[in-house]
Amino acid sequence: MAPLYNPFIHDDGKKPTCMEMLQLIVDNQATDEQRTYFKQHMDNCLPCYKKYNVDMAVSELLKEKCSGENCPDDLVAQIKSKIKMMNA
Amino acid sequence: MELEDAPRQHYTENEKQDIFNQEFMPHIHSMYNFGYRLTLDRDDAKDLVQDTYLKAYRFIESFQKGTNAKAWLFRILKNSFINDYRKRSKEPNKIDYQEVETYYNSEEVDRQITPDLRVESLKDMIGDEISNALNSLDVDFRTVIILCDLEGFKYEEMAKILDIPIGTVRSRLHRARNLLKEKLKSYAKSMGYNNA
Ligand SMILES: [Zn+2]
């Protein structure tokens, strides 16, 4: 397969390291083009493949277990009534 | 983003109410979760969220309708936390940041300190392990993980919310993930994964 253009390449032409590419992916900051490139890169790079799977699993776990604190209803009501008082 | 810097807008009372209800209130659950994860206390989180919303209303003319309300609110909450809550705690801000951007060249070192955590051991963490691990991080590291992984902010937004350069956001996230994985690895060990 012909080598793809690397969309992670730095403005100064410097090649990105595996770690730099992986971080953009894991931090969810990569473009679609970068994602596609990275998927192909992982087929040939075992360290990236392993780290990617662990990091994504941790991130999923965080989303699943640490997002659930809902604001209590009484606080919503309290804020609304204080705002009303500020307007009165 | 700045409370004072943005060109002052002029809104009628009705417009203010609309902005508050339609642009600010939809973020209240995210804001509460953020407040809770920062203070680790539900009552403190309530106070923090209330302070933030009242401040947001008082300064509503510094907010430009239709722009990034979520980032704007998160920034106010984070500033209130630093000014009002962090001061109260006796614990000094003790981490030594070394937030040099050369961290990208430290792949070798990284390999040694980053635990080889396994996906299989993560699958068994169905309880509070991840939450405890997150809560155990120093608040600055905890914050970037919350903003990035739970709230999906972009580097640039995080930089503005936290008043730090983008390079610092990246290095802080990188270190936070490593610390989190170290914690999880020790949990995995205690759960019986010897080769976690
Ligand atoms: Zn690689």
Side-chain angles (χ1 to χ4, degrees):
Chain A
M1 188 170 28
L4 282 174
Y5 158 77
N6 185 339
F8 287 93
I9 212 133
H10 292 281
D11 290 342
D12 60 7
K14 221 180 102 207
K15 243 187 100 191
T17 63
C18 283
M19 209 171 107
E20 286 175 309
M21 293 194 285
L22 184 63
Q23 189 179 6
L24 282 176
I25 299 284
V26 174
D27 291 348
N28 200 18
Q29 312 283 325
T31 62
D32 289 346
E33 203 188 7
Q34 288 172 327
R35 252 172 249 290
T36 307
Y37 179 90
F38 190 76
K39 277 208 180 100
Q40 297 210 13
H41 169 81
M42 279 194 296
D43 290 341
N44 300 305
C45 183
L46 190 61
C48 273
Y49 175 78
K50 279 184 166 171
K51 276 194 167 185
Y52 170 85
N53 281 308
V54 170
D55 284 350
M56 293 313 274
V58 171
S59 191
E60 284 308 312
L61 206 52
L62 279 167
K63 266 177 236 145
E64 191 186 315
K65 299 282 180 189
C66 303
S67 305
E69 291 295 331
N70 269 357
C71 183
D73 290 340
D74 62 328
L75 179 58
V76 176
Q78 197 177 318
I79 290 172
K80 285 187 171 165
S81 90
K82 290 216 169 175
I83 297 294
K84 236 176 227 151
M85 273 158 57
M86 284 166 80
N87 282 325
Chain B
M1 290 289 285
E2 300 291 328
L3 276 182
E4 296 87 8
D5 287 6
R8 205 177 158 78
Q9 312 288 310
H10 295 284
Y11 300 126
T12 65
E13 288 309 314
N14 274 342
E15 278 175 319
K16 285 185 190 175
Q17 291 294 321
D18 285 351
I19 293 169
F20 193 83
N21 291 323
Q22 289 160 24
E23 299 193 46
F24 294 176
M25 287 310 275
H27 301 295
I28 197 152
H29 293 301
S30 291
M31 293 282 283
Y32 180 79
N33 196 59
F34 186 37
Y36 174 68
R37 293 280 160 197
L38 288 178
T39 59
L40 304 178
D41 181 284
R42 290 187 173 80
D43 288 329
D44 283 347
K46 282 171 86 169
D47 289 347
L48 196 49
V49 169
Q50 175 163 305
D51 288 354
T52 303
Y53 272 90
L54 297 184
K55 242 179 238 174
Y57 190 77
R58 214 176 310 131
F59 289 97
I60 202 161
E61 293 192 323
S62 305
F63 174 76
Q64 201 183 335
K65 203 177 160 180
T67 58
N68 195 340
K70 186 175 175 183
W72 193 73
L73 292 168
F74 267 69
R75 187 169 186 274
I76 300 175
L77 191 145
K78 167 250 155 192
N79 284 339
S80 299
F81 172 70
I82 289 177
N83 295 330
D84 305 337
Y85 290 82
R86 215 169 186 176
K87 230 181 261 165
R88 263 196 242 155
S89 85
K90 295 276 179 292
E91 191 186 4
N93 183 15
K94 61 195 178 311
I95 24 170
D96 153 34
Y97 281 122
Q98 284 192 338
E99 282 171 326
V100 278
E101 292 187 43
T102 52
Y103 75 103
Y104 282 128
N105 300 324
S106 60
E107 221 154 339
E108 276 316 305
V109 184
D110 217 39
R111 200 155 288 154
Q112 289 163 13
I113 60 162
T114 306
D116 190 17
L117 186 66
R118 294 165 62 123
V119 176
E120 299 83 78
S121 56
L122 289 170
K123 290 205 175 108
D124 282 353
M125 297 191 179
I126 50 176
D128 295 333
E129 296 91 353
I130 185 82
S131 184
N132 292 341
L134 178 65
N135 293 351
S136 76
L137 296 186
D138 186 279
V139 71
D140 288 320
F141 290 128
R142 212 186 311 147
T143 302
V144 284
I145 295 278
I146 298 166
L147 297 180
C148 184
D149 290 53
L150 304 186
E151 300 301 336
F153 282 114
K154 295 296 157 201
Y155 286 151
E156 210 179 319
E157 294 172 317
M158 290 185 260
K160 282 181 182 159
I161 293 169
L162 301 174
D163 291 303
I164 55 178
I166 286 179
T168 309
V169 172
R170 290 163 67 133
S171 60
R172 212 176 272 186
L173 265 168
H174 179 78
R175 291 189 63 194
R177 288 192 198 288
N178 282 344
L179 291 167
L180 196 60
K181 282 184 280 184
E182 269 176 53
K183 261 276 171 298
L184 292 173
K185 166 128 178 168
S186 71
Y187 290 151
K189 259 197 184 138
S190 67
M191 288 161 70
Y193 282 91
N194 288 323
N195 200 14

